[in-house]
Amino acid sequence: MAETLEGISSKVYRAIVTVVDDRMLEIKVTRQNFDELKGVVRELAEAQKRTETEVRELAKDIRGLTRSHKDLQRQVGGISNTIGYELEDKSYPILPALLKRDFGAEVGRLYRRFLLYPDGRDDEINIYGEGKRNGQKVYVIGEAKAQLGRRDVDRFVRMLKRVQAFLDAELIPLVLTYAVHPKVEEYAATKGLKIYWSYDLQQPAI
């Protein structure tokens, strides 16, 4: 058997050379892949920069939309308050007759009022009045809403509980509105609320 100068047979030598060549090929492929990977990383970095820029621009747009939304809410709230005040103002001279007809209550002047509680809190009463029914003291507590919703009913009922505990007398709760869905109207009735529509203020109490 022929041997190389190092004492290794030619067969083993060829096998070693083959392995070394394969390893070198793998190294070349790995370097090529590494170069490709660097290119991919560069592309990703550039894409990230573009994304960050787009995100910053989007954040600005969102902040702008948020401000616009808040401004719109304030404007709508202001319009709603104005409509509510007009509805209340119209109701003050008419409601006493309606309350006498529907509840048998003799009620004096109606007006807006803040109730101040001992704990420092307060409630704004849209329609407030004092009167008597069957010789007993009663308070008219009313809410005016351009369009009555279920949440408005729940909010008003919670307020009524606070008012009831504070005044410790019989209440006549009512809601004055331009519009209300039939389901909300039914829900309000289950809470013991009397609903008056805006057009009720244009009709004489009989």
Side-chain angles (χ1 to χ4, degrees):
M1 178 182 296
E3 295 185 356
T4 64
L5 295 177
E6 290 80 8
I8 301 176
S9 67
S10 59
K11 184 176 181 180
V12 173
Y13 178 77
R14 285 194 300 272
I16 292 174
V17 170
T18 301
V19 171
V20 171
D21 289 342
D22 291 341
R23 289 299 184 186
M24 291 300 296
L25 181 60
E26 289 179 3
I27 292 174
K28 291 179 180 178
V29 172
T30 301
R31 286 176 179 171
Q32 181 181 358
N33 290 342
F34 181 72
D35 291 338
E36 293 176 356
L37 180 60
K38 286 195 298 183
V40 171
V41 170
R42 282 194 298 270
E43 292 177 1
L44 287 175
E46 293 173 358
Q48 183 178 2
K49 290 180 181 179
R50 290 194 300 270
T51 301
E52 289 174 352
T53 301
E54 292 172 356
V55 168
R56 285 194 295 270
E57 293 175 352
L58 180 60
K60 292 180 182 179
D61 292 340
I62 291 175
R63 284 195 293 270
L65 288 173
T66 300
R67 286 193 294 270
S68 299
H69 180 65
K70 289 181 178 179
D71 291 341
L72 180 60
Q73 283 183 320
R74 283 193 292 269
Q75 293 174 10
V76 171
I79 294 172
S80 179
N81 288 337
T82 300
I83 294 174
Y85 288 146
E86 291 179 355
L87 193 58
E88 294 164 26
D89 291 341
K90 291 179 181 179
S91 74
Y92 297 144
I94 305 298
L95 276 178
L98 297 177
L99 293 170
K100 184 177 181 179
R101 181 195 68 185
D102 298 333
F103 295 93
E106 296 286 345
V107 180
R109 185 172 68 95
L110 297 173
Y111 54 98
R112 296 184 194 92
R113 180 183 174 182
F114 279 93
L115 286 184
L116 304 178
Y117 302 119
D119 61 2
R121 294 183 302 167
D122 63 73
D123 277 317
E124 181 181 4
I125 311 299
N126 297 159
I127 303 169
Y128 176 89
E130 301 178 11
K132 287 190 176 182
R133 180 169 63 178
N134 300 325
Q136 301 296 319
K137 182 83 170 182
V138 293
Y139 291 90
V140 176
I141 305 296
E143 181 83 354
K145 287 291 180 183
Q147 182 170 2
L148 184 67
R150 188 183 180 99
R151 290 184 179 180
D152 299 319
V153 172
D154 291 336
R155 190 179 302 112
F156 185 48
V157 168
R158 288 195 297 271
M159 186 183 73
L160 287 173
K161 291 180 180 179
R162 296 191 295 270
V163 173
Q164 177 73 66
F166 178 67
L167 296 177
D168 192 24
E170 184 181 0
L171 304 183
I172 298 179
L174 62 91
V175 178
L176 187 60
T177 186
Y178 283 107
V180 58
H181 191 278
K183 290 185 178 180
V184 177
E185 187 176 10
E186 292 176 2
Y187 180 67
T190 66
K191 300 298 182 179
L193 304 182
K194 171 66 175 176
I195 293 181
Y196 286 107
W197 297 74
S198 58
Y199 54 74
D200 288 325
L201 304 179
Q202 301 172 3
Q203 299 176 355
I206 300 175

